[in-house]
Amino acid sequence: MKTIAHINSDFPSKFGIPRQSGLVPELLASIVFEPEYRNPEALRGLEQYSHIWLLWEFSEAKRETFSPTVRPPRLGGNQRMGVFATRSPFRPNPIGLSCVVLERVELHTPKGPILYVSGADLMDGTPIYDIKPYLPHIDSHPDALGGFALPLQNYALAVEIPEELLEKVPKERREALRGILMQDPRPGYQEDPGRVYGFPFAGLEVRFQVKEGKLTVCEVEKMDKEALK
């Protein structure tokens, strides 16, 4: 498998990344190709599609051993399901699959062609193996069964961000941050109402607490350059 590109996103670490693509459509990212794949001809016609599939590597979730079951976070982190019945990153082969919106294609930049996408669930720097167009007449199945994931499709927390903290977040990132928090970025097995959680996002450290189904942001601070490395 050859890495053809890497993604640039607002997530320098795994914590806080939405558990599926498309859950937070406001999230913006860009895809930069490796030098040997910076041929604009390889993208001819791609601008005609609204969505694309990304095949990528769970580069921070590699394991030498195989477990046939995993604990899906949305089931509380205590119930086990077969790994092939989930989209857990802990798989025999660490391959991810995401459907994202193709916002625009820029063919001629100093870094070669760049794809701008939204709704991605990838950590910054994630290696991408392949890109394919999404075909609505083939890939969409409205009557498909959603298994144990379907009852959880509308899961969301109430989110409160004090105005003085929201002002610390760039305007173009505010809705994306709110969407991330609504999805509850905590590990599924952690329910301590007194615990303060934190994660880096878009150069900021965001800290929050969750009590009685409500998430409250308690601190937003700009991260220094060393912490971002």
Side-chain angles (χ1 to χ4, degrees):
M1 297 284 282
K2 298 177 181 179
T3 298
I4 66 166
H6 289 83
I7 197 164
N8 295 328
S9 76
D10 286 326
F11 296 101
S13 68
K14 295 182 293 182
F15 197 101
I17 297 178
R19 293 182 173 91
Q20 303 293 337
S21 59
L23 287 177
V24 184
E26 298 85 0
L27 282 173
L28 302 177
S30 60
I31 296 171
V32 179
F33 289 86
E34 291 295 285
E36 59 267 42
Y37 300 105
R38 293 178 181 176
N39 188 333
E41 288 296 298
L43 300 175
R44 182 190 294 182
L46 188 64
E47 75 284 351
Q48 299 178 31
Y49 297 92
S50 64
H51 295 67
I52 55 176
W53 290 106
L54 304 179
L55 282 82
W56 47 277
E57 180 187 32
F58 285 106
S59 52
E60 298 298 313
K62 295 180 180 179
R63 289 186 175 182
E64 296 299 325
T65 57
F66 165 65
S67 174
T69 62
V70 295
R71 299 186 296 174
R74 282 290 177 261
L75 296 182
N78 296 314
Q79 186 175 351
R80 287 193 169 273
M81 291 289 178
V83 64
F84 300 126
T86 75
R87 295 189 177 186
S88 167
F90 303 112
R91 321 188 68 79
N93 292 302
I95 298 173
L97 176 68
S98 297
C99 181
V100 299
V101 176
L102 179 61
E103 298 288 348
R104 70 183 192 276
V105 179
E106 291 190 6
L107 294 178
H108 304 288
T109 81
K111 294 183 179 180
I114 295 180
L115 306 182
Y116 292 89
V117 301
S118 60
D121 55 341
L122 284 71
M123 190 176 72
D124 186 53
T126 293
I128 295 176
Y129 290 139
D130 202 2
I131 296 168
K132 300 177 186 291
Y134 175 92
L135 304 178
H137 63 292
I138 295 174
D139 295 335
S140 178
H141 301 278
D143 298 326
L145 298 179
F148 61 83
L150 190 59
L152 304 169
Q153 62 179 327
N154 295 319
Y155 177 89
L157 287 175
V159 173
E160 179 179 346
I161 307 177
E163 189 63 31
E164 65 273 17
L165 297 182
L166 188 61
E167 290 179 355
K168 296 183 178 183
V169 182
K171 288 184 179 180
E172 68 275 13
R173 296 289 194 274
R174 292 176 184 175
E175 287 306 308
L177 176 60
R178 188 178 296 275
I180 294 164
L181 296 173
M182 287 175 63
Q183 293 299 317
D184 192 356
R186 297 175 300 167
Y189 55 87
Q190 294 187 4
E191 293 286 346
D192 183 358
R195 180 166 180 170
V196 175
Y197 301 86
F199 66 96
F201 171 72
L204 303 169
E205 179 72 19
V206 181
R207 298 187 178 91
F208 64 91
Q209 287 182 297
V210 180
K211 296 180 181 180
E212 299 178 352
K214 180 179 179 180
L215 185 151
T216 302
V217 175
C218 51
E219 191 174 353
V220 175
E221 296 294 339
K222 187 173 182 179
M223 298 183 67
D224 59 43
K225 293 182 179 180
E226 288 300 318
L228 291 171
K229 291 182 179 179

